[in-house]
Amino acid sequence: MTASNPDDEIHLDRERAERTGMPEIIYGESKSVAQLQAILRQLEGETALVTRLQADKAAQLPGDYDPVARCLMFGEHADTQNSEVLGPVGIVSAGTSDAPVAREALLTLQHLGVEARLIQDVGVAGLHRLLGRLPELSDCKVFICVAGFEGALPSVLTGLVKQPVIGVPTSVGYGVSVGGQAALSSMLASCAGGLLVVNIDNGCGAALA
């Protein structure tokens, strides 16, 4: 039996950006290095973002790798070409343990050409930290709020700002946090009107939204 050619397995959706306004983003975690190399070969001369990419795979691929976000940026990315329409976006995270998800959102926005500002470690365990940073975020058009444990920060933020807030529950926390299920349920049950919620650890999805 002959080995399969990775190029024959790849069928990129090249019309996605024109059809939906969103470029194709590559989920790297379950793809082989050969498959990822084939994808990037087909994207030569274009830009791409590979998310959830392990460091050992990234070492075998071209592009700039962020080990915290576990994302690889491929190609020449334009600087915030969509900012006047879509940004700036404020990314607010509860703790430094939430950094991988917050930075995934940040890099996705950079891939989309949208200005973003990242403020970390302002969770409800010390609420004064958030209150002291709000003035610098007053011109943001939307917020992405990332939190694990009980997931309270997005509810608090939604009650303090007039902009839309997209909550991202993370799989950070002990015991009954259950890999982000507690944070997800808390955000979905929020009494703060207008809070939107994406799936657990889905910083990329929040940025696309």
Side-chain angles (χ1 to χ4, degrees):
M1 177 180 288
T2 59
S4 62
N5 183 350
D7 287 282
D8 295 336
E9 302 171 359
I10 306 303
H11 304 284
L12 298 179
D13 185 358
R14 294 189 173 277
E15 291 77 38
R16 183 177 302 184
E18 182 177 352
R19 186 178 68 249
T20 70
M22 300 293 180
E24 185 168 19
I25 293 178
I26 303 152
Y27 183 79
E29 188 168 35
S30 54
K31 291 182 175 64
S32 69
V33 171
Q35 289 171 329
L36 291 166
Q37 289 172 335
I39 290 170
L40 295 182
R41 277 196 302 271
Q42 292 189 26
L43 291 172
E44 189 68 40
E46 302 178 41
T47 61
L49 177 68
V50 184
T51 64
R52 299 299 168 88
L53 182 64
Q54 300 92 331
D56 60 326
K57 293 181 185 178
Q60 302 175 66
L61 300 170
D64 297 319
Y65 182 65
D66 185 315
V68 177
R70 297 166 296 174
C71 292
L72 181 133
M73 305 278 281
F74 173 79
E76 296 294 328
H77 285 74
D79 292 330
T80 60
Q81 71 267 25
N82 292 319
S83 283
E84 290 185 8
V85 177
L86 301 173
V89 175
I91 303 172
V92 179
S93 72
T96 51
S97 295
D98 301 310
V101 178
R103 287 196 60 82
E104 181 182 273
L106 177 67
L107 266 64
T108 303
L109 288 167
Q110 290 177 354
H111 176 57
L112 298 172
V114 178
E115 179 188 352
R117 302 172 192 167
L118 176 60
I119 293 181
Q120 302 186 88
D121 205 20
V122 292
V124 297
L127 192 56
H128 61 284
R129 299 174 298 178
L130 173 64
L131 298 176
R133 304 294 297 273
L134 284 179
E136 66 191 81
L137 298 173
S138 60
D139 64 332
C140 289
K141 294 185 177 178
V142 65
F143 288 99
I144 293 171
C145 191
V146 182
F149 283 83
E150 81 282 30
L153 185 62
S155 291
V156 172
L157 182 63
T158 303
L160 293 171
V161 300
K162 61 184 179 182
Q163 297 93 327
V165 177
I166 302 171
V168 188
T170 71
S171 53
V172 172
Y174 297 111
V176 296
S177 297
V178 199
Q181 293 289 338
L184 174 62
S185 295
S186 177
M187 293 181 197
L188 289 173
S190 174
C191 64
L195 173 63
L196 309 175
V197 186
V198 298
N199 203 356
I200 297 168
D201 290 336
N202 194 4
C204 176
L208 289 172

